[in-house]
Amino acid sequence: MGKRRRIQALKPLSSFSSSSTVIDIDDDEDEIDYNEVCCEECHSGNAADKLLLCDKCDLGFHIFCLRPVLASVPKGSWFCPFCTNQKKLKKFPLVQTKIIDFFRIQKPSEPIQKSIKDTKKRRKCPLVSKKKKRRLLPFVPVEDPKRRLEEMASLATAMTATRMEEFSNELTYIPGMAPRSANCAAYENGGMQVLSKDDAETLKLCKEMMERGECPPLMVVFDSKEGFTVEADKYIKDWTLVTEYTGDVDYLKNREYDGGDSMMTLISSGDPSKSLVICPDKHGNIARFINGINNHTPEGRKKQNLKCVRFDVDGQSRVLLIANRDIPKGERLYYDYNGLEHEYPTQHFV
């Protein structure tokens, strides 16, 4: 019998749980003093609960010393950078037909440039912008169709590299997980704000633009420390609806020991059995790659330029990412995972 190692990680889900790690090691052959293991990067054995051991070579690495940084101990087997022999990141081919197929873009009945002009005209209507009450603004795509292809190719690259199965700009309901009927905004503990009719029209407009290939002005880039992250590809005005957080909907009770790194609260119910999360590991959109900020420091808080808000939309909960200030081109997007709860361990975020 060889070495057996079981690592269970209670992944701190966005906005609702704390971190806990249990390590149980049974070594039948090799007698290794795990108290002597140090991180290969910082050469310290401190923070043992954050120290990962490679399942192949037994070298140790702190989750916050890895690049990109890991927010929690991963579920199941883990292999260090030396043993993974990761190949150079392959970019998604910048071929229009491949991108159209990947995102299932509906071919417009009129030239895409003309449809952009029509969209701009619609944005000027009183429904969205001229009433006194502040309303959500639809995102404004870049005008150059080639640049939009580059934006979508960057997202397709990230999705392919992280082994996501399919792009989805809507919440998905998979057999064996939570059914659509479980997504009832009325289950939210304390109630949930209702998206106004005008803002619902803005959300619908953004969805329609995406369907015909007019994507949000966002570029997914790879950072050696943060991993995949998202930058504004043009100026984004305060109060703009940037994207909706999408993915597979499941019950929180089914995901408490899940190793996913991007789960999002959908419903936080007074009845735990009705609480839901969004899991974008297999299906999802660009929201998965927008990173959190270090909310343990004032400097980290200053980086936040998006807010994550849950709304009641026709009786169902939806999660929207909205610009909370003007965002210049090239600035990376960040939002606070925790809201007011501060339970997610963000101290190692940049």
Side-chain angles (χ1 to χ4, degrees), residues 136 169 195-196 199-200 202-204 206-207 240-246 264-266 278 287 306-313 317-323 335:
L136 294 181
N169 211 32
L195 191 68
S196 70
D199 288 345
T202 298
L203 175 59
K204 180 181 178 182
C206 291
K207 295 288 188 180
T240 294
L241 172 55
V242 174
T243 189
E244 178 178 355
Y245 204 101
T246 65
M264 170 63 66
T265 303
L266 182 61
I278 303 172
L306 296 180
K307 61 179 179 180
C308 180
V309 188
R310 289 177 295 148
F311 287 100
D312 178 337
V313 182
S317 177
R318 307 272 286 275
V319 181
L320 306 183
L321 295 180
I322 302 166
Y335 67 101

PDB file of all heavy atoms in Angstrom, residues 136 169 195-196 199-200 202-204 206-207 240-246 264-266 278 287 306-313 317-323 335:
ATOM      1  N   LEU A 136     -30.026  52.154 -13.701  1.00  0.00           N
ATOM      2  CA  LEU A 136     -28.900  51.433 -14.266  1.00  0.00           C
ATOM      3  C   LEU A 136     -28.685  51.837 -15.721  1.00  0.00           C
ATOM      4  O   LEU A 136     -29.659  52.064 -16.463  1.00  0.00           O
ATOM      5  CB  LEU A 136     -29.143  49.926 -14.194  1.00  0.00           C
ATOM      6  CG  LEU A 136     -29.196  49.287 -12.803  1.00  0.00           C
ATOM      7  CD1 LEU A 136     -29.408  47.783 -12.937  1.00  0.00           C
ATOM      8  CD2 LEU A 136     -27.932  49.573 -12.021  1.00  0.00           C
ATOM      9  N   ASN A 169     -24.860  32.876 -20.391  1.00  0.00           N
ATOM     10  CA  ASN A 169     -25.126  34.212 -19.883  1.00  0.00           C
ATOM     11  C   ASN A 169     -26.404  34.243 -19.049  1.00  0.00           C
ATOM     12  O   ASN A 169     -26.934  35.314 -18.750  1.00  0.00           O
ATOM     13  CB  ASN A 169     -25.238  35.212 -21.042  1.00  0.00           C
ATOM     14  CG  ASN A 169     -24.773  36.604 -20.651  1.00  0.00           C
ATOM     15  OD1 ASN A 169     -23.879  36.763 -19.823  1.00  0.00           O
ATOM     16  ND2 ASN A 169     -25.383  37.617 -21.243  1.00  0.00           N
ATOM     17  N   LEU A 195     -35.944  44.552  -8.548  1.00  0.00           N
ATOM     18  CA  LEU A 195     -35.415  45.324  -9.667  1.00  0.00           C
ATOM     19  C   LEU A 195     -36.568  46.056 -10.340  1.00  0.00           C
ATOM     20  O   LEU A 195     -37.579  45.449 -10.698  1.00  0.00           O
ATOM     21  CB  LEU A 195     -34.722  44.398 -10.668  1.00  0.00           C
ATOM     22  CG  LEU A 195     -33.896  45.086 -11.761  1.00  0.00           C
ATOM     23  CD1 LEU A 195     -32.664  45.749 -11.155  1.00  0.00           C
ATOM     24  CD2 LEU A 195     -33.478  44.084 -12.832  1.00  0.00           C
ATOM     25  N   SER A 196     -36.426  47.359 -10.491  1.00  0.00           N
ATOM     26  CA  SER A 196     -37.506  48.154 -11.071  1.00  0.00           C
ATOM     27  C   SER A 196     -37.755  47.762 -12.522  1.00  0.00           C
ATOM     28  O   SER A 196     -36.899  47.150 -13.185  1.00  0.00           O
ATOM     29  CB  SER A 196     -37.153  49.644 -11.009  1.00  0.00           C
ATOM     30  OG  SER A 196     -36.102  49.944 -11.913  1.00  0.00           O
ATOM     31  N   ASP A 199     -35.078  49.272 -14.810  1.00  0.00           N
ATOM     32  CA  ASP A 199     -33.787  48.594 -14.732  1.00  0.00           C
ATOM     33  C   ASP A 199     -33.856  47.191 -15.321  1.00  0.00           C
ATOM     34  O   ASP A 199     -32.870  46.681 -15.870  1.00  0.00           O
ATOM     35  CB  ASP A 199     -33.311  48.535 -13.281  1.00  0.00           C
ATOM     36  CG  ASP A 199     -32.865  49.897 -12.766  1.00  0.00           C
ATOM     37  OD1 ASP A 199     -32.663  50.806 -13.602  1.00  0.00           O
ATOM     38  OD2 ASP A 199     -32.737  50.067 -11.542  1.00  0.00           O
ATOM     39  N   ALA A 200     -35.026  46.562 -15.222  1.00  0.00           N
ATOM     40  CA  ALA A 200     -35.217  45.252 -15.847  1.00  0.00           C
ATOM     41  C   ALA A 200     -35.114  45.371 -17.368  1.00  0.00           C
ATOM     42  O   ALA A 200     -34.590  44.479 -18.044  1.00  0.00           O
ATOM     43  CB  ALA A 200     -36.564  44.663 -15.442  1.00  0.00           C
ATOM     44  N   THR A 202     -33.209  47.551 -18.861  1.00  0.00           N
ATOM     45  CA  THR A 202     -31.776  47.698 -19.113  1.00  0.00           C
ATOM     46  C   THR A 202     -31.089  46.337 -19.108  1.00  0.00           C
ATOM     47  O   THR A 202     -30.240  46.054 -19.968  1.00  0.00           O
ATOM     48  CB  THR A 202     -31.139  48.610 -18.042  1.00  0.00           C
ATOM     49  OG1 THR A 202     -31.731  49.903 -18.115  1.00  0.00           O
ATOM     50  CG2 THR A 202     -29.638  48.745 -18.257  1.00  0.00           C
ATOM     51  N   LEU A 203     -31.437  45.495 -18.149  1.00  0.00           N
ATOM     52  CA  LEU A 203     -30.883  44.144 -18.092  1.00  0.00           C
ATOM     53  C   LEU A 203     -31.230  43.370 -19.356  1.00  0.00           C
ATOM     54  O   LEU A 203     -30.375  42.697 -19.951  1.00  0.00           O
ATOM     55  CB  LEU A 203     -31.412  43.418 -16.855  1.00  0.00           C
ATOM     56  CG  LEU A 203     -31.019  41.942 -16.697  1.00  0.00           C
ATOM     57  CD1 LEU A 203     -29.507  41.786 -16.637  1.00  0.00           C
ATOM     58  CD2 LEU A 203     -31.671  41.345 -15.445  1.00  0.00           C
ATOM     59  N   LYS A 204     -32.455  43.485 -19.806  1.00  0.00           N
ATOM     60  CA  LYS A 204     -32.886  42.801 -21.024  1.00  0.00           C
ATOM     61  C   LYS A 204     -32.103  43.299 -22.230  1.00  0.00           C
ATOM     62  O   LYS A 204     -31.682  42.512 -23.095  1.00  0.00           O
ATOM     63  CB  LYS A 204     -34.388  43.013 -21.229  1.00  0.00           C
ATOM     64  CG  LYS A 204     -34.940  42.341 -22.478  1.00  0.00           C
ATOM     65  CD  LYS A 204     -36.432  42.622 -22.630  1.00  0.00           C
ATOM     66  CE  LYS A 204     -36.976  41.996 -23.901  1.00  0.00           C
ATOM     67  NZ  LYS A 204     -38.422  42.305 -24.086  1.00  0.00           N
ATOM     68  N   CYS A 206     -29.091  44.566 -22.269  1.00  0.00           N
ATOM     69  CA  CYS A 206     -27.724  44.041 -22.201  1.00  0.00           C
ATOM     70  C   CYS A 206     -27.669  42.587 -22.670  1.00  0.00           C
ATOM     71  O   CYS A 206     -26.725  42.176 -23.359  1.00  0.00           O
ATOM     72  CB  CYS A 206     -27.183  44.171 -20.781  1.00  0.00           C
ATOM     73  SG  CYS A 206     -26.870  45.870 -20.253  1.00  0.00           S
ATOM     74  N   LYS A 207     -28.681  41.813 -22.297  1.00  0.00           N
ATOM     75  CA  LYS A 207     -28.725  40.414 -22.727  1.00  0.00           C
ATOM     76  C   LYS A 207     -28.861  40.331 -24.248  1.00  0.00           C
ATOM     77  O   LYS A 207     -28.217  39.505 -24.904  1.00  0.00           O
ATOM     78  CB  LYS A 207     -29.910  39.707 -22.071  1.00  0.00           C
ATOM     79  CG  LYS A 207     -29.813  39.591 -20.557  1.00  0.00           C
ATOM     80  CD  LYS A 207     -28.780  38.596 -20.126  1.00  0.00           C
ATOM     81  CE  LYS A 207     -28.841  38.371 -18.619  1.00  0.00           C
ATOM     82  NZ  LYS A 207     -27.844  37.391 -18.164  1.00  0.00           N
ATOM     83  N   THR A 240     -23.088  51.713 -14.361  1.00  0.00           N
ATOM     84  CA  THR A 240     -23.296  50.871 -15.537  1.00  0.00           C
ATOM     85  C   THR A 240     -23.460  49.413 -15.114  1.00  0.00           C
ATOM     86  O   THR A 240     -22.712  48.912 -14.262  1.00  0.00           O
ATOM     87  CB  THR A 240     -22.098  50.980 -16.508  1.00  0.00           C
ATOM     88  OG1 THR A 240     -22.043  52.300 -17.035  1.00  0.00           O
ATOM     89  CG2 THR A 240     -22.219  49.991 -17.654  1.00  0.00           C
ATOM     90  N   LEU A 241     -24.427  48.730 -15.704  1.00  0.00           N
ATOM     91  CA  LEU A 241     -24.588  47.295 -15.504  1.00  0.00           C
ATOM     92  C   LEU A 241     -23.515  46.594 -16.319  1.00  0.00           C
ATOM     93  O   LEU A 241     -23.562  46.583 -17.553  1.00  0.00           O
ATOM     94  CB  LEU A 241     -25.986  46.849 -15.947  1.00  0.00           C
ATOM     95  CG  LEU A 241     -26.264  45.349 -15.972  1.00  0.00           C
ATOM     96  CD1 LEU A 241     -25.966  44.714 -14.632  1.00  0.00           C
ATOM     97  CD2 LEU A 241     -27.692  45.078 -16.391  1.00  0.00           C
ATOM     98  N   VAL A 242     -22.526  46.030 -15.648  1.00  0.00           N
ATOM     99  CA  VAL A 242     -21.385  45.431 -16.332  1.00  0.00           C
ATOM    100  C   VAL A 242     -21.697  44.011 -16.803  1.00  0.00           C
ATOM    101  O   VAL A 242     -21.463  43.654 -17.948  1.00  0.00           O
ATOM    102  CB  VAL A 242     -20.143  45.451 -15.426  1.00  0.00           C
ATOM    103  CG1 VAL A 242     -18.979  44.702 -16.074  1.00  0.00           C
ATOM    104  CG2 VAL A 242     -19.741  46.889 -15.123  1.00  0.00           C
ATOM    105  N   THR A 243     -22.225  43.191 -15.911  1.00  0.00           N
ATOM    106  CA  THR A 243     -22.581  41.825 -16.282  1.00  0.00           C
ATOM    107  C   THR A 243     -23.427  41.207 -15.184  1.00  0.00           C
ATOM    108  O   THR A 243     -23.512  41.738 -14.073  1.00  0.00           O
ATOM    109  CB  THR A 243     -21.327  40.961 -16.522  1.00  0.00           C
ATOM    110  OG1 THR A 243     -21.701  39.694 -17.081  1.00  0.00           O
ATOM    111  CG2 THR A 243     -20.568  40.728 -15.224  1.00  0.00           C
ATOM    112  N   GLU A 244     -24.059  40.094 -15.488  1.00  0.00           N
ATOM    113  CA  GLU A 244     -24.759  39.302 -14.485  1.00  0.00           C
ATOM    114  C   GLU A 244     -23.881  38.124 -14.100  1.00  0.00           C
ATOM    115  O   GLU A 244     -23.159  37.561 -14.932  1.00  0.00           O
ATOM    116  CB  GLU A 244     -26.090  38.780 -15.033  1.00  0.00           C
ATOM    117  CG  GLU A 244     -26.847  37.896 -14.037  1.00  0.00           C
ATOM    118  CD  GLU A 244     -28.196  37.403 -14.551  1.00  0.00           C
ATOM    119  OE1 GLU A 244     -28.605  37.818 -15.648  1.00  0.00           O
ATOM    120  OE2 GLU A 244     -28.830  36.595 -13.849  1.00  0.00           O
ATOM    121  N   TYR A 245     -23.904  37.731 -12.823  1.00  0.00           N
ATOM    122  CA  TYR A 245     -23.144  36.565 -12.365  1.00  0.00           C
ATOM    123  C   TYR A 245     -23.971  35.323 -12.682  1.00  0.00           C
ATOM    124  O   TYR A 245     -25.088  35.162 -12.184  1.00  0.00           O
ATOM    125  CB  TYR A 245     -22.887  36.659 -10.862  1.00  0.00           C
ATOM    126  CG  TYR A 245     -21.679  35.873 -10.416  1.00  0.00           C
ATOM    127  CD1 TYR A 245     -20.470  36.510 -10.161  1.00  0.00           C
ATOM    128  CD2 TYR A 245     -21.741  34.493 -10.264  1.00  0.00           C
ATOM    129  CE1 TYR A 245     -19.353  35.799  -9.751  1.00  0.00           C
ATOM    130  CE2 TYR A 245     -20.629  33.776  -9.866  1.00  0.00           C
ATOM    131  CZ  TYR A 245     -19.433  34.431  -9.604  1.00  0.00           C
ATOM    132  OH  TYR A 245     -18.328  33.717  -9.210  1.00  0.00           O
ATOM    133  N   THR A 246     -23.437  34.445 -13.517  1.00  0.00           N
ATOM    134  CA  THR A 246     -24.190  33.270 -13.948  1.00  0.00           C
ATOM    135  C   THR A 246     -23.422  31.990 -13.646  1.00  0.00           C
ATOM    136  O   THR A 246     -22.238  32.003 -13.313  1.00  0.00           O
ATOM    137  CB  THR A 246     -24.491  33.335 -15.458  1.00  0.00           C
ATOM    138  OG1 THR A 246     -23.258  33.275 -16.188  1.00  0.00           O
ATOM    139  CG2 THR A 246     -25.237  34.614 -15.807  1.00  0.00           C
ATOM    140  N   MET A 264     -20.966  31.858  -5.599  1.00  0.00           N
ATOM    141  CA  MET A 264     -21.586  33.129  -5.234  1.00  0.00           C
ATOM    142  C   MET A 264     -22.931  32.882  -4.571  1.00  0.00           C
ATOM    143  O   MET A 264     -23.712  32.025  -5.005  1.00  0.00           O
ATOM    144  CB  MET A 264     -21.776  33.981  -6.498  1.00  0.00           C
ATOM    145  CG  MET A 264     -22.611  35.233  -6.313  1.00  0.00           C
ATOM    146  SD  MET A 264     -21.888  36.423  -5.179  1.00  0.00           S
ATOM    147  CE  MET A 264     -20.423  36.897  -6.104  1.00  0.00           C
ATOM    148  N   THR A 265     -23.231  33.629  -3.517  1.00  0.00           N
ATOM    149  CA  THR A 265     -24.532  33.533  -2.871  1.00  0.00           C
ATOM    150  C   THR A 265     -25.634  33.942  -3.838  1.00  0.00           C
ATOM    151  O   THR A 265     -25.536  34.982  -4.487  1.00  0.00           O
ATOM    152  CB  THR A 265     -24.594  34.456  -1.646  1.00  0.00           C
ATOM    153  OG1 THR A 265     -23.545  34.128  -0.753  1.00  0.00           O
ATOM    154  CG2 THR A 265     -25.927  34.332  -0.936  1.00  0.00           C
ATOM    155  N   LEU A 266     -26.675  33.137  -3.929  1.00  0.00           N
ATOM    156  CA  LEU A 266     -27.849  33.502  -4.709  1.00  0.00           C
ATOM    157  C   LEU A 266     -29.018  33.789  -3.775  1.00  0.00           C
ATOM    158  O   LEU A 266     -29.687  34.809  -3.911  1.00  0.00           O
ATOM    159  CB  LEU A 266     -28.219  32.374  -5.685  1.00  0.00           C
ATOM    160  CG  LEU A 266     -29.414  32.654  -6.606  1.00  0.00           C
ATOM    161  CD1 LEU A 266     -29.143  33.863  -7.492  1.00  0.00           C
ATOM    162  CD2 LEU A 266     -29.738  31.424  -7.461  1.00  0.00           C
ATOM    163  N   ILE A 278     -24.493  30.051  -6.696  1.00  0.00           N
ATOM    164  CA  ILE A 278     -24.200  29.959  -8.129  1.00  0.00           C
ATOM    165  C   ILE A 278     -22.810  29.352  -8.263  1.00  0.00           C
ATOM    166  O   ILE A 278     -21.861  29.817  -7.645  1.00  0.00           O
ATOM    167  CB  ILE A 278     -24.232  31.336  -8.797  1.00  0.00           C
ATOM    168  CG1 ILE A 278     -25.584  32.008  -8.570  1.00  0.00           C
ATOM    169  CG2 ILE A 278     -23.953  31.218 -10.299  1.00  0.00           C
ATOM    170  CD1 ILE A 278     -25.629  33.460  -9.041  1.00  0.00           C
ATOM    171  N   ALA A 287     -18.098  36.952 -15.463  1.00  0.00           N
ATOM    172  CA  ALA A 287     -18.149  37.308 -14.040  1.00  0.00           C
ATOM    173  C   ALA A 287     -17.239  36.411 -13.200  1.00  0.00           C
ATOM    174  O   ALA A 287     -16.708  36.847 -12.184  1.00  0.00           O
ATOM    175  CB  ALA A 287     -19.583  37.223 -13.530  1.00  0.00           C
ATOM    176  N   LEU A 306     -16.569  47.900  -8.486  1.00  0.00           N
ATOM    177  CA  LEU A 306     -17.848  47.264  -8.772  1.00  0.00           C
ATOM    178  C   LEU A 306     -18.539  46.908  -7.464  1.00  0.00           C
ATOM    179  O   LEU A 306     -17.888  46.690  -6.444  1.00  0.00           O
ATOM    180  CB  LEU A 306     -17.663  45.965  -9.575  1.00  0.00           C
ATOM    181  CG  LEU A 306     -17.085  46.012 -10.970  1.00  0.00           C
ATOM    182  CD1 LEU A 306     -17.000  44.604 -11.528  1.00  0.00           C
ATOM    183  CD2 LEU A 306     -17.919  46.901 -11.885  1.00  0.00           C
ATOM    184  N   LYS A 307     -19.840  46.858  -7.498  1.00  0.00           N
ATOM    185  CA  LYS A 307     -20.577  46.302  -6.366  1.00  0.00           C
ATOM    186  C   LYS A 307     -21.433  45.149  -6.868  1.00  0.00           C
ATOM    187  O   LYS A 307     -21.898  45.139  -8.010  1.00  0.00           O
ATOM    188  CB  LYS A 307     -21.440  47.362  -5.684  1.00  0.00           C
ATOM    189  CG  LYS A 307     -22.505  48.010  -6.549  1.00  0.00           C
ATOM    190  CD  LYS A 307     -23.287  49.027  -5.720  1.00  0.00           C
ATOM    191  CE  LYS A 307     -24.349  49.727  -6.567  1.00  0.00           C
ATOM    192  NZ  LYS A 307     -25.108  50.705  -5.766  1.00  0.00           N
ATOM    193  N   CYS A 308     -21.593  44.168  -6.005  1.00  0.00           N
ATOM    194  CA  CYS A 308     -22.351  42.971  -6.329  1.00  0.00           C
ATOM    195  C   CYS A 308     -23.693  43.056  -5.601  1.00  0.00           C
ATOM    196  O   CYS A 308     -23.725  43.125  -4.369  1.00  0.00           O
ATOM    197  CB  CYS A 308     -21.551  41.744  -5.883  1.00  0.00           C
ATOM    198  SG  CYS A 308     -22.349  40.180  -6.213  1.00  0.00           S
ATOM    199  N   VAL A 309     -24.783  43.076  -6.357  1.00  0.00           N
ATOM    200  CA  VAL A 309     -26.104  43.284  -5.772  1.00  0.00           C
ATOM    201  C   VAL A 309     -27.057  42.186  -6.233  1.00  0.00           C
ATOM    202  O   VAL A 309     -27.104  41.844  -7.412  1.00  0.00           O
ATOM    203  CB  VAL A 309     -26.696  44.657  -6.163  1.00  0.00           C
ATOM    204  CG1 VAL A 309     -27.965  44.923  -5.379  1.00  0.00           C
ATOM    205  CG2 VAL A 309     -25.681  45.774  -5.939  1.00  0.00           C
ATOM    206  N   ARG A 310     -27.811  41.645  -5.282  1.00  0.00           N
ATOM    207  CA  ARG A 310     -28.828  40.646  -5.620  1.00  0.00           C
ATOM    208  C   ARG A 310     -30.197  41.321  -5.706  1.00  0.00           C
ATOM    209  O   ARG A 310     -30.561  42.116  -4.838  1.00  0.00           O
ATOM    210  CB  ARG A 310     -28.861  39.530  -4.573  1.00  0.00           C
ATOM    211  CG  ARG A 310     -27.639  38.630  -4.631  1.00  0.00           C
ATOM    212  CD  ARG A 310     -27.648  37.583  -3.548  1.00  0.00           C
ATOM    213  NE  ARG A 310     -27.542  38.182  -2.231  1.00  0.00           N
ATOM    214  CZ  ARG A 310     -28.101  37.681  -1.131  1.00  0.00           C
ATOM    215  NH1 ARG A 310     -28.837  36.591  -1.193  1.00  0.00           N
ATOM    216  NH2 ARG A 310     -27.946  38.270   0.030  1.00  0.00           N
ATOM    217  N   PHE A 311     -30.924  40.997  -6.779  1.00  0.00           N
ATOM    218  CA  PHE A 311     -32.236  41.599  -7.010  1.00  0.00           C
ATOM    219  C   PHE A 311     -33.296  40.516  -7.207  1.00  0.00           C
ATOM    220  O   PHE A 311     -33.011  39.419  -7.710  1.00  0.00           O
ATOM    221  CB  PHE A 311     -32.217  42.471  -8.269  1.00  0.00           C
ATOM    222  CG  PHE A 311     -31.486  43.774  -8.121  1.00  0.00           C
ATOM    223  CD1 PHE A 311     -30.195  43.922  -8.589  1.00  0.00           C
ATOM    224  CD2 PHE A 311     -32.111  44.873  -7.528  1.00  0.00           C
ATOM    225  CE1 PHE A 311     -29.522  45.124  -8.475  1.00  0.00           C
ATOM    226  CE2 PHE A 311     -31.451  46.079  -7.403  1.00  0.00           C
ATOM    227  CZ  PHE A 311     -30.152  46.205  -7.881  1.00  0.00           C
ATOM    228  N   ASP A 312     -34.519  40.879  -6.845  1.00  0.00           N
ATOM    229  CA  ASP A 312     -35.698  40.083  -7.179  1.00  0.00           C
ATOM    230  C   ASP A 312     -36.119  40.505  -8.587  1.00  0.00           C
ATOM    231  O   ASP A 312     -36.540  41.641  -8.811  1.00  0.00           O
ATOM    232  CB  ASP A 312     -36.811  40.371  -6.162  1.00  0.00           C
ATOM    233  CG  ASP A 312     -38.108  39.625  -6.468  1.00  0.00           C
ATOM    234  OD1 ASP A 312     -38.324  39.241  -7.640  1.00  0.00           O
ATOM    235  OD2 ASP A 312     -38.922  39.464  -5.546  1.00  0.00           O
ATOM    236  N   VAL A 313     -35.995  39.582  -9.546  1.00  0.00           N
ATOM    237  CA  VAL A 313     -36.400  39.851 -10.926  1.00  0.00           C
ATOM    238  C   VAL A 313     -37.497  38.858 -11.282  1.00  0.00           C
ATOM    239  O   VAL A 313     -37.243  37.667 -11.452  1.00  0.00           O
ATOM    240  CB  VAL A 313     -35.218  39.708 -11.905  1.00  0.00           C
ATOM    241  CG1 VAL A 313     -35.662  40.054 -13.329  1.00  0.00           C
ATOM    242  CG2 VAL A 313     -34.058  40.602 -11.480  1.00  0.00           C
ATOM    243  N   SER A 317     -34.223  35.340  -7.817  1.00  0.00           N
ATOM    244  CA  SER A 317     -33.030  36.091  -7.433  1.00  0.00           C
ATOM    245  C   SER A 317     -32.037  36.116  -8.586  1.00  0.00           C
ATOM    246  O   SER A 317     -31.806  35.101  -9.241  1.00  0.00           O
ATOM    247  CB  SER A 317     -32.370  35.463  -6.208  1.00  0.00           C
ATOM    248  OG  SER A 317     -31.177  36.142  -5.880  1.00  0.00           O
ATOM    249  N   ARG A 318     -31.444  37.286  -8.830  1.00  0.00           N
ATOM    250  CA  ARG A 318     -30.403  37.453  -9.848  1.00  0.00           C
ATOM    251  C   ARG A 318     -29.289  38.295  -9.242  1.00  0.00           C
ATOM    252  O   ARG A 318     -29.535  39.177  -8.429  1.00  0.00           O
ATOM    253  CB  ARG A 318     -30.965  38.136 -11.095  1.00  0.00           C
ATOM    254  CG  ARG A 318     -32.205  37.471 -11.681  1.00  0.00           C
ATOM    255  CD  ARG A 318     -31.859  36.378 -12.664  1.00  0.00           C
ATOM    256  NE  ARG A 318     -31.393  36.945 -13.927  1.00  0.00           N
ATOM    257  CZ  ARG A 318     -32.201  37.342 -14.921  1.00  0.00           C
ATOM    258  NH1 ARG A 318     -33.526  37.267 -14.766  1.00  0.00           N
ATOM    259  NH2 ARG A 318     -31.697  37.813 -16.040  1.00  0.00           N
ATOM    260  N   VAL A 319     -28.064  38.028  -9.642  1.00  0.00           N
ATOM    261  CA  VAL A 319     -26.905  38.729  -9.093  1.00  0.00           C
ATOM    262  C   VAL A 319     -26.287  39.594 -10.188  1.00  0.00           C
ATOM    263  O   VAL A 319     -25.873  39.079 -11.238  1.00  0.00           O
ATOM    264  CB  VAL A 319     -25.855  37.738  -8.562  1.00  0.00           C
ATOM    265  CG1 VAL A 319     -24.669  38.491  -7.970  1.00  0.00           C
ATOM    266  CG2 VAL A 319     -26.472  36.805  -7.527  1.00  0.00           C
ATOM    267  N   LEU A 320     -26.217  40.899  -9.953  1.00  0.00           N
ATOM    268  CA  LEU A 320     -25.695  41.836 -10.944  1.00  0.00           C
ATOM    269  C   LEU A 320     -24.429  42.504 -10.430  1.00  0.00           C
ATOM    270  O   LEU A 320     -24.322  42.823  -9.236  1.00  0.00           O
ATOM    271  CB  LEU A 320     -26.738  42.909 -11.271  1.00  0.00           C
ATOM    272  CG  LEU A 320     -28.123  42.426 -11.712  1.00  0.00           C
ATOM    273  CD1 LEU A 320     -29.002  43.619 -12.065  1.00  0.00           C
ATOM    274  CD2 LEU A 320     -28.021  41.462 -12.888  1.00  0.00           C
ATOM    275  N   LEU A 321     -23.468  42.717 -11.326  1.00  0.00           N
ATOM    276  CA  LEU A 321     -22.248  43.463 -11.012  1.00  0.00           C
ATOM    277  C   LEU A 321     -22.371  44.840 -11.663  1.00  0.00           C
ATOM    278  O   LEU A 321     -22.508  44.942 -12.886  1.00  0.00           O
ATOM    279  CB  LEU A 321     -21.019  42.720 -11.538  1.00  0.00           C
ATOM    280  CG  LEU A 321     -20.745  41.361 -10.892  1.00  0.00           C
ATOM    281  CD1 LEU A 321     -19.494  40.720 -11.502  1.00  0.00           C
ATOM    282  CD2 LEU A 321     -20.586  41.485  -9.393  1.00  0.00           C
ATOM    283  N   ILE A 322     -22.312  45.869 -10.831  1.00  0.00           N
ATOM    284  CA  ILE A 322     -22.606  47.237 -11.266  1.00  0.00           C
ATOM    285  C   ILE A 322     -21.435  48.149 -10.921  1.00  0.00           C
ATOM    286  O   ILE A 322     -20.876  48.062  -9.811  1.00  0.00           O
ATOM    287  CB  ILE A 322     -23.888  47.742 -10.573  1.00  0.00           C
ATOM    288  CG1 ILE A 322     -25.063  46.802 -10.888  1.00  0.00           C
ATOM    289  CG2 ILE A 322     -24.214  49.179 -10.981  1.00  0.00           C
ATOM    290  CD1 ILE A 322     -26.262  47.016  -9.988  1.00  0.00           C
ATOM    291  N   ALA A 323     -21.045  49.013 -11.841  1.00  0.00           N
ATOM    292  CA  ALA A 323     -19.964  49.963 -11.575  1.00  0.00           C
ATOM    293  C   ALA A 323     -20.403  50.927 -10.476  1.00  0.00           C
ATOM    294  O   ALA A 323     -21.483  51.504 -10.548  1.00  0.00           O
ATOM    295  CB  ALA A 323     -19.622  50.737 -12.846  1.00  0.00           C
ATOM    296  N   TYR A 335     -14.439  43.661  -6.880  1.00  0.00           N
ATOM    297  CA  TYR A 335     -15.581  43.893  -6.001  1.00  0.00           C
ATOM    298  C   TYR A 335     -15.351  43.147  -4.699  1.00  0.00           C
ATOM    299  O   TYR A 335     -14.479  42.281  -4.597  1.00  0.00           O
ATOM    300  CB  TYR A 335     -16.899  43.459  -6.649  1.00  0.00           C
ATOM    301  CG  TYR A 335     -17.055  41.973  -6.883  1.00  0.00           C
ATOM    302  CD1 TYR A 335     -17.814  41.184  -6.015  1.00  0.00           C
ATOM    303  CD2 TYR A 335     -16.476  41.349  -7.988  1.00  0.00           C
ATOM    304  CE1 TYR A 335     -17.972  39.830  -6.237  1.00  0.00           C
ATOM    305  CE2 TYR A 335     -16.626  39.997  -8.223  1.00  0.00           C
ATOM    306  CZ  TYR A 335     -17.365  39.233  -7.340  1.00  0.00           C
ATOM    307  OH  TYR A 335     -17.515  37.890  -7.567  1.00  0.00           O
TER     308      TYR A 335
END
